[in-house]
Amino acid sequence: MYLHSNLLSALVLFIAAQSLGKTWVPSHCRSPIEAVCNFVCDCGDCSDEAQCGFHGASTTPSMSIPFTCSFEQDPCGWQDISTSGYSWLRDRAGAVLDGPGPRSDHTHGTDLGWYMAVGTHNGKEASTATLRSPVMREAAPTCELRLWYHTASRDVAELRLELTHGVETLTLWQSSGPWGPGWQELAVNTGRVQGDFKVTFSATRNATHRGAVALDDVEFRDCGLPRPQASCPLGQHHCQNKACVEPHQLCDGEDNCGDRSDEDPLICSHHMATDFETGLGLWNQLEGWTRNHSAGSMVSPAWPHRDHSRNSAYGFFLVSMAKPGTTAVLFSPEFQASVPYNCSLTFYYYLHGSEASCFQLFLQVQGLNTPPDPVLLRSHHGELGTAWVRDRVDIQSAQPFRILLAGETGPGGIVGLDDLIMSNYCKLVPDVSTVQSCSGSEALALCPQTSMELPLEACEPGHLSCGELCVPPEQFCDFQQQCAEGEDEHKCGTTDFESASAGGWEDTSIGRLQWQRVAAQNRKLARDADRDVPGHFLSLQKAWGQLRSEARARTPALGPSGPRCELHMTYRFHSHPQGFLALVVVENGFRELVWQAPSSSSSKGWTVEKVLLGARHRPFQLEFVGLVDLDGPGQQWAEVDNVTMRDCNPTVTTESDREVSCNFERDSCSWHTGHLTDAHWHRVKSHSSKYDHTTGQGFLMFLDPTDPPARGQGALLLTRPQVPLVPKECLSFWYHLYGPQIGTLRLAMRKDGEEDTLLWSRSGTHGNRWHQAWVTLHHQLEASTKYQLLFEGLRDGYRGTMALDDMAVRPGPCWAPKSCSFEDSDCGFSPGGLGLWKRQSNASGQAPWGPWTDHTTETAQGHYMVVDTSPDLLPKGHVASLTSEEHQPLTQPACLTFWYHLSLRNPGTLRVHLEASTRRQELSISAHGGFAWRLGSVNVQAGQAWRVVFEAVAAGVEHSYMALDDLLLQDGPCAQPGSCDFESGLCGWSHLAGPSLGAYSWDWSRGATPSRYPKPTVDHTLGTEAGHFAFFETSVLGPGGQKAWLRSEPLPATTASCLHFWYFMGFPEHFYKGELRVLLSSAQGQLAVWAQGGHLRHQWIQVQIEVSNPEEFQIVFEATLGGQPALGPIALDDVEYLAGRHCQQPLPSQGERAPMSVPIAVGGALLFFMFLVLLGLGGRHWLQKQPCPFQRSTDAATSGFDNILFNAVGTPRCGQVGDSASMLNDGKARSGGPGLRKRRLAPSIHVQTAFQQPLSNIPPSFLGSSYPPGIHHQQLIDQTRPGPSGQLAQHSALPDTHASTALSPSGGFALWCNQGWRGPCTVNKHSTPVRATQASGCTSYLLYLAEHIIAGRWVSLPGFKT
């Protein structure tokens, strides 16, 4: 093709320009070494901050996002530098079964998240595991390091966080415990660090500690120095290095610029700073303060590890050495009046080790005949951590004044002071050369006590006097009024903020924001709600602190509270996405988030809110936590008003508080949620996949273990304390456990002063349906005896939901339970005679007899019933019986299944009797034992109350036993071994998730039941949405070979048996995602005998597999992935195992054949005839040009059990192609699967598949299956044999490989169709060449045989004879 020269030149220039343009753009940013890992993104993609102990984060002009490492992708540059086997590694929850580490990570709160961990170490010597960060650079004074750690009090001797820069190593934090359960947050301030530094986190163990520790979600907040700027915003100071800082950051004792130019002596020469490095400076003390440093002076665990001035262990500071209850006072010289300018004091204080510690700042006016009492300007108390916190006071006084700094330490606490800086407008009184000393009674006049003085005849210190009463501190704010005027309940959270006391709410912020009581005009919600009036409310305002950003306001200690306790309030909140407003409960050092304003809240009006607090022990505190960017673009605010505590008195009860029976339609009756965990039960209305049991549209109690993102061990649902009325009661309830990896639901009884008594538990999915359970409650009828019932949903599984509904209590004992796993109790079974049957587990590994593991959990921790049949305990012929409680009469036939385990040494005979009006033997088992649990079943018909009796008849053999586990009573007759239609359950098929990481369970459901997971709309058994099936949703799987197993009971060895089943797959088109495999599992291992990849096949497909195995085995259906996760189900139905019988061709069923009109039949016949003509002419033309790629195979076939079958695929019905005699009446074409032999590997099987629906429902992407996993086509040379129906000539591209075809009795044929192949192929049928073409029902589908033989795929061609 000719191109004009100008156009060609332009094109060349364009391509060159594009190429040059690409070279001009750097592939990555190259920063100087001093700009790498300095908490500032110098590159546009922040690549200069990768692998720095954190990963780069984007920033916004208003709020910085912290630099974080969640360990989800890699260790972020953290390295283990341990010198022993006790060391750190990147790990995942659940990687080790019953390991000592956490059950979930902190990032996601599930078992799929990653963290850094130290495993247990068996060494007898003390050892330390140390994790070190990469080199970091230039931390700002505001830099805060946050992380989450997980350990137990008996696991580690000490944890330590250190920072090394230069030759000095600073201890940022250390602790020897005790530590709480679950993930714990640690937040420390690094202070200003110049140059390079590294951070290390270490765990130390000794011979008495296991040493298991985990670390997750490391964050560095506000660590970067300000960037250089050409010019600064109005009012800011331009540093020598071109950075910009706020005016109040000048001369504040911190290097905010990064080059210390904001602390330049030329600028700060008129400030009076005292850093205590050489003494007290201008300040004087009365008593209690001492000047000290950290190096070698750690007199208390709460002692500061460094000073503020130098950020060094060798720097000096003041600490209060006063005994608890006494006050240490430091006072300034006398200053002149400051009018008209403010005299400012900037100071840094330290409060750590005790909630009772307090620091206060007073102003004492001088120059009057009678000096007034000091005025309190600042008050801080409680536990603020190991940081030096900045504060500032501005003083404007018409009289000379002094400043008093008072510190009072609580038990184990430390109060510290450093860097007292008076501003340039603070002028000393020149005539005062000496400072008046204070001691004894004179000290009280000048420096009064910070606590309230009471009259001599009043109550003890700390008690409240009201009338003739003295109320002790523990009765303050207990929601029970002691004083006539309610003074003991005045400062307990309830307030409209009109009073200066603010209802006891006190700001505890240490950052750049604080909560303040402010006045407003026309913004406050009026108490009568008719009009706005001026008033006060709590609002977020700027503060002088330099540390963490969020502001906190906290109540005094409250409680105890009742289960209906609520907080009502109004609030206004508007912020960018990083901001928040929340209510937190602080209890025993644990912080529970109970409410958070919606992030989308942007209304300028007030919003009314109520928050359930529930029953809590004393002491607990409420805390408002807020964060907004007051300097950011646009207006942002967080405000709270009209806070009211309601129904919090724990002694007030209502009729509903005694209602244990509850259907949750009106309210939650006596049931309420527990606390000290961030996972909660919720009373919700039926919606979508959540549906109640009562009506299907009502209310239920619901728990999703990951919503909201939870980290705790579980969620509690408790009753109010109940008084028992009768010795025995029956509690019945309905429960719903559903999902591929749902955890454990258990019921317990709680009594004061006693450990909880476990009554009932279930683990793992129980299908998408409600189940009824009942438990007998045993009581002691004493006046002081009260009990609580509690349901606990454990977070030992994360994919699925739990629900409870329709609880009822009645007098008297319950019927025998329908299922019993012996995990919680003996289920009421009573051993007869000598009581030889015992409930046990092998957790210690020291059980004298019995299986190594139970059947329920398949672990040594699981329980079962076992009897020792050794002759010294049970002589030969003697019987040990085990009798159940009474079962309720049955309205229909049922099946009782149980799992039994017999010792290798012959224990004797296990007999099963049913006992009603008479006793009859239903089953006798005398088989030899083994290592496997086996399934037994008994059909039950009983119109009256009945019992089941297990009898162990001893054979007189030493070291023999019998064991029982997992009894289950289900409606309907018992299924044959290995068979199930899934209408009543999973029959003998086990869906227990394996112990490996990411193991999941098959589920059980029906099409009509709402579900959060996709599934077939109808089953195969009934063909309706009311029918049931087993299914698995593959979207929960991830890369890495995760899978879910559905296992049959152990089946005896067989030379020829047939497995018949129907399967369903539904995946997005053009994706090769889910895969269903059939495995034979035995003591020799697992063998894949059939596999099918999934596509969009919304229909049930039939499969028959002929199986032989020389030893006992289990059939396993394995659902796994063929790629990345995709939303799509794999389902099974009508599994039938025909022991000792060969598979037969499926029989025609007139009822399933689709009706066909006469015009369609005639049109189909004409199209079929045209198809034959075109196929013949095309094939003949092609044969004249090239030889056929197929040849006849003459390999001999051998029979035997050492054969392996490769994948077979269903045969589509291509319209009406083929002779009717060779087709099933429902449109299913028969195909003989290839029998392929690999020496001494597998039992021989024969596969036959058929579609239940016509080809019109099959997408163009339908493909045949590939080889079974792990077998390459090159391995099959000279190791195959033809199938029973004929054979397909080998392809020239694959010598010695074969596939078989089926010839219909009348010589007709069906087509394999695929859209992707475009080449013809000749098949000899009556010497007539055949070309693939289009036919009725097969539009655009072409023969794909050659393509997939070349690709290594084995296929059947029904009707083609070679």
Side-chain angles (χ1 to χ4, degrees), residues 428 659 1100:
L428 289 171
E659 293 179 350
W1100 289 98

Side-chain angles (χ1 to χ4, degrees), residues 1130-1346:
I1130 298 176
L1132 288 170
D1133 204 0
D1134 292 333
V1135 178
E1136 185 178 17
Y1137 178 73
L1138 304 174
R1141 294 167 54 182
H1142 288 280
C1143 292
Q1144 302 295 325
Q1145 293 286 337
L1147 295 176
S1149 173
Q1150 294 291 343
E1152 295 184 2
R1153 183 182 178 95
M1156 182 172 60
S1157 64
V1158 173
I1160 293 178
V1162 173
L1166 292 175
L1167 286 174
F1168 176 58
F1169 177 76
M1170 293 174 60
F1171 166 77
L1172 291 179
V1173 173
L1174 291 173
L1175 191 63
L1177 294 175
R1180 186 170 188 175
H1181 177 72
W1182 180 65
L1183 279 176
Q1184 293 174 354
K1185 295 185 176 182
Q1186 63 183 56
C1188 178
F1190 297 100
Q1191 300 175 5
R1192 176 178 298 272
S1193 172
T1194 57
D1195 284 4
T1198 59
S1199 60
F1201 67 88
D1202 56 342
N1203 296 298
I1204 185 168
L1205 173 79
F1206 294 93
N1207 304 343
V1209 293
T1211 306
R1213 186 184 73 165
C1214 299
Q1216 298 299 320
V1217 177
D1219 185 84
S1220 61
S1222 66
M1223 306 292 294
L1224 299 180
N1225 287 347
D1226 60 352
K1228 306 182 188 74
R1230 295 179 297 184
S1231 64
L1236 303 173
R1237 183 170 67 89
K1238 184 171 175 64
R1239 297 184 180 91
R1240 301 290 177 185
L1241 278 183
S1244 64
I1245 58 176
H1246 176 69
V1247 178
Q1248 192 169 44
T1249 65
F1251 282 92
Q1252 191 182 17
Q1253 299 180 13
L1255 188 63
S1256 58
N1257 295 330
I1258 303 172
S1261 59
F1262 171 76
L1263 300 177
S1265 297
S1266 61
Y1267 287 121
I1271 300 179
H1272 191 270
H1273 71 270
Q1274 295 295 339
Q1275 296 174 288
L1276 307 177
I1277 297 175
D1278 295 328
Q1279 297 183 15
T1280 60
R1281 66 182 178 88
S1285 309
Q1287 61 188 24
L1288 182 68
Q1290 66 187 36
H1291 193 282
S1292 58
L1294 290 176
D1296 301 320
T1297 58
H1298 308 83
S1300 64
T1301 63
L1303 178 65
S1304 65
S1306 63
F1309 62 89
L1311 287 179
W1312 279 100
C1313 302
N1314 185 60
Q1315 200 173 21
W1317 185 72
R1318 293 293 181 267
C1321 177
T1322 299
V1323 179
N1324 292 327
K1325 183 183 188 307
H1326 307 302
S1327 302
T1328 303
V1330 181
R1331 173 188 285 271
T1333 184
Q1334 298 180 353
S1336 175
C1338 288
T1339 305
S1340 79
Y1341 287 82
L1342 299 176
L1343 188 68
Y1344 79 146
L1345 174 64

Side-chain angles (χ1 to χ4, degrees), residues 914-1115:
L914 295 183
E915 198 174 75
S917 56
T918 60
R919 176 171 174 171
R920 65 182 185 275
Q921 178 175 315
E922 299 289 343
L923 185 65
S924 178
I925 301 171
S926 302
H928 289 291
F931 296 103
W933 287 91
R934 293 175 172 83
L935 181 67
S937 60
V938 174
N939 285 298
V940 183
Q941 298 187 47
Q944 55 186 316
W946 57 280
R947 303 174 189 265
V948 59
V949 181
F950 294 94
E951 289 185 343
V953 183
V957 177
E958 290 285 352
H959 307 297
S960 61
Y961 64 83
M962 301 183 192
L964 290 172
D965 202 0
D966 287 334
L967 281 72
L968 177 64
L969 183 66
Q970 295 185 102
D971 294 336
C974 296
Q976 293 298 314
S979 302
C980 192
D981 62 7
F982 302 108
E983 291 308 312
S984 299
L986 295 177
C987 308
W989 290 83
S990 171
H991 62 169
L992 179 69
S996 61
L997 175 67
Y1000 300 93
S1001 298
W1002 282 73
D1003 229 315
W1004 179 74
S1005 187
R1006 61 176 181 166
T1009 306
S1011 171
R1012 62 165 53 184
Y1013 305 106
K1015 56 183 177 12
T1017 55
V1018 299
D1019 78 327
H1020 177 263
T1021 310
L1022 305 179
T1024 69
E1025 61 180 14
H1028 294 79
F1029 44 80
F1031 83 102
F1032 180 74
E1033 168 48 50
T1034 61
S1035 66
V1036 301
L1037 299 179
Q1042 296 169 339
K1043 56 186 179 295
W1045 277 11
L1046 186 65
R1047 294 174 294 170
S1048 73
E1049 61 190 274
L1051 300 171
T1054 178
T1055 57
S1057 296
C1058 184
L1059 174 67
H1060 176 278
F1061 62 92
W1062 293 78
Y1063 75 92
F1064 177 103
M1065 290 188 185
F1067 294 92
E1069 194 171 356
H1070 307 305
F1071 284 87
Y1072 184 78
K1073 298 296 180 182
E1075 186 175 14
L1076 176 63
R1077 307 172 70 198
V1078 177
L1079 312 178
L1080 301 184
S1081 178
S1082 66
Q1084 302 301 317
Q1086 298 150 13
L1087 177 68
V1089 296
W1090 181 89
Q1092 178 62 60
H1095 293 279
L1096 190 65
R1097 300 180 179 177
H1098 292 293
Q1099 56 188 339
W1100 289 98
I1101 303 174
Q1102 182 185 32
V1103 176
Q1104 289 190 155
I1105 303 175
E1106 198 162 286
V1107 179
S1108 66
N1109 207 45
E1111 59 183 356
E1112 186 179 57
F1113 67 100
Q1114 289 176 284
I1115 299 171

Side-chain angles (χ1 to χ4, degrees), residues 550-561:
E550 66 268 17
R552 302 178 185 273
R554 187 180 292 187
T555 65
L558 309 175
S561 63

Side-chain angles (χ1 to χ4, degrees), residues 272-347:
M272 291 174 283
T274 302
D275 60 9
F276 304 112
E277 295 301 320
T278 58
L280 297 182
L282 300 173
W283 296 78
N284 294 271
Q285 67 160 326
L286 293 178
E287 59 182 352
W289 292 102
T290 183
R291 175 176 164 269
N292 215 321
H293 57 76
S294 303
S297 305
M298 302 293 290
V299 297
S300 165
W303 193 268
H305 291 283
R306 56 213 159 113
D307 77 329
H308 174 265
S309 310
R310 298 169 53 188
N311 198 26
S312 169
Y314 300 95
F316 283 84
F317 46 81
L318 286 188
V319 289
S320 170
M321 299 299 293
K323 296 180 180 179
T326 61
T327 304
V329 179
L330 185 73
F331 61 92
S332 74
E334 188 172 328
F335 291 97
Q336 293 180 354
S338 59
V339 177
Y341 301 104
N342 287 341
C343 168
S344 299
L345 169 64
T346 299
F347 60 96

